[in-house]
Amino acid sequence: STQSTGSLYFIVMVHPESAKHRVQREELPAVPHFSDFNEPRFQFTTNKQKNGILLYFQYLHCVGNWGEEHSMCQKAKFYLNRMMHDFWFEKWEEKRALGHFDHILNYGVKPWKEFEPMYQPVKKNRPGAYEFWADRDFEPLYTDDCADWREHAPVLHEVYVLGKKPIYDE
């Protein structure tokens, strides 16, 4: 006789009307190398606003305890600038200028009772993203004059977007 191994089987039950809410690929413009960015199941995974606000409080707590020039606070600001949109960063900086966060900045107080500082010291032995970019002096990859590459390099548009084969001069 065979015995049951106790394995669990998961059956994905798709809602019967989910197909009519999904945008068909034929209706989309030609966007290269993006797969299902219109998938309704993942519509809220790109909103990083909450994470950005939490990182802003981490940054404020670091500044209140260590000072703005400390390497940990510079690292916290590095990640904050990449997570929070500039518009929201300016809004929170306005609130900071009005004195909303003086208790955090002047006394190093936790913003709320269960707050845990998560900012990290700068790593020496295994560099992360901050350490990788912090010690590099690099030029920006583009200038404002060349922002519209269709105008300045129409050949690239023909090759990469229209799929034409490049013609090399001999």
Side-chain angles (χ1 to χ4, degrees):
S1 71
T2 59
Q3 294 181 348
S4 172
T5 59
S7 299
L8 295 175
Y9 295 99
F10 293 98
I11 299 173
V12 178
M13 301 285 292
V14 180
H15 193 273
E17 295 183 5
S18 65
K20 74 177 185 181
H21 297 292
R22 186 168 179 180
V23 179
Q24 298 303 317
R25 284 186 189 276
E26 293 78 30
E27 301 172 14
L28 296 173
V31 181
H33 69 269
F34 288 108
S35 59
D36 284 331
F37 61 92
N38 62 329
E39 178 62 58
R41 293 178 297 167
F42 308 121
Q43 60 184 332
F44 300 113
T45 56
T46 56
N47 186 359
K48 303 290 188 252
Q49 179 181 346
K50 180 180 177 186
N51 300 345
I53 292 169
L54 294 176
L55 276 177
Y56 188 77
F57 279 109
Q58 293 285 339
Y59 169 68
L60 288 179
H61 190 262
C62 184
V63 169
N65 286 290
W66 296 93
E68 198 149 2
E69 299 303 318
H70 196 275
S71 61
M72 276 196 300
C73 302
Q74 294 293 324
K75 183 175 180 178
K77 189 171 185 179
F78 172 84
Y79 285 111
L80 171 65
N81 285 336
R82 277 144 189 81
M83 185 65 73
M84 182 182 273
H85 196 274
D86 293 340
F87 171 79
W88 286 108
F89 184 73
E90 291 168 8
K91 289 284 186 188
W92 285 91
E93 286 293 302
E94 287 174 13
K95 291 183 77 135
R96 178 181 175 183
L98 291 172
H100 286 254
F101 308 119
D102 284 349
H103 62 289
I104 303 172
L105 294 169
N106 296 336
Y107 306 110
V109 179
K110 291 182 176 183
W112 56 87
K113 186 177 171 184
E114 298 86 16
F115 178 83
E116 290 294 330
M118 298 180 71
Y119 42 86
Q120 299 176 350
V122 177
K123 301 172 189 170
K124 301 290 183 209
N125 54 352
R126 292 187 66 186
Y130 172 75
E131 293 81 10
F132 178 81
W133 291 110
D135 63 348
R136 281 173 172 66
D137 183 26
F138 58 90
E139 297 279 327
L141 297 177
Y142 65 92
T143 60
D144 293 334
D145 299 336
C146 299
D148 189 8
W149 53 272
R150 289 178 192 86
E151 178 184 336
H152 294 282
V155 174
L156 293 178
H157 179 71
E158 292 174 357
V159 171
Y160 290 112
V161 178
L162 302 178
K164 293 184 178 178
K165 295 202 181 272
I167 300 172
Y168 298 103
D169 295 333
E170 313 233 19

